[in-house]
Amino acid sequence: MQEVTDKLIYYKFYVLVMSGYLDQRKCDQALIIFSNKSMPILMATDVAVRDLDIDSLD
């Protein structure tokens, strides 16, 4: 995942990354940032997205 993230950043894409290493507060902040469209790309590990429910994506 880090390699893909690095490539996206290299090509000037703004990427938000979530992994199982983040505490709940940081995960919540990441979801708020993504949901208010401040960051267009959310990359997450399978551990980070367990029980994650996103209603809609544009």
Side-chain angles (χ1 to χ4, degrees), residues 2-56:
Q2 188 62 49
E3 185 178 333
V4 174
T5 302
D6 291 343
K7 288 271 188 187
L8 288 168
I9 292 169
Y10 176 81
Y11 288 106
K12 307 293 189 227
F13 287 94
Y14 294 102
V15 180
L16 187 61
V17 179
M18 287 179 60
S19 73
Y21 297 109
L22 293 179
D23 63 33
Q24 188 61 48
R25 183 181 62 82
K26 289 186 179 185
C27 285
D28 291 343
Q29 289 174 337
L31 289 174
I32 290 168
I33 290 168
F34 180 67
S35 66
N36 71 18
K37 300 181 181 176
S38 295
M39 292 288 245
I41 300 171
L42 174 66
M43 291 188 58
T45 63
D46 59 336
V47 173
V49 297
R50 288 186 185 164
D51 299 320
L52 185 62
D53 187 24
I54 298 175
D55 291 331
S56 65

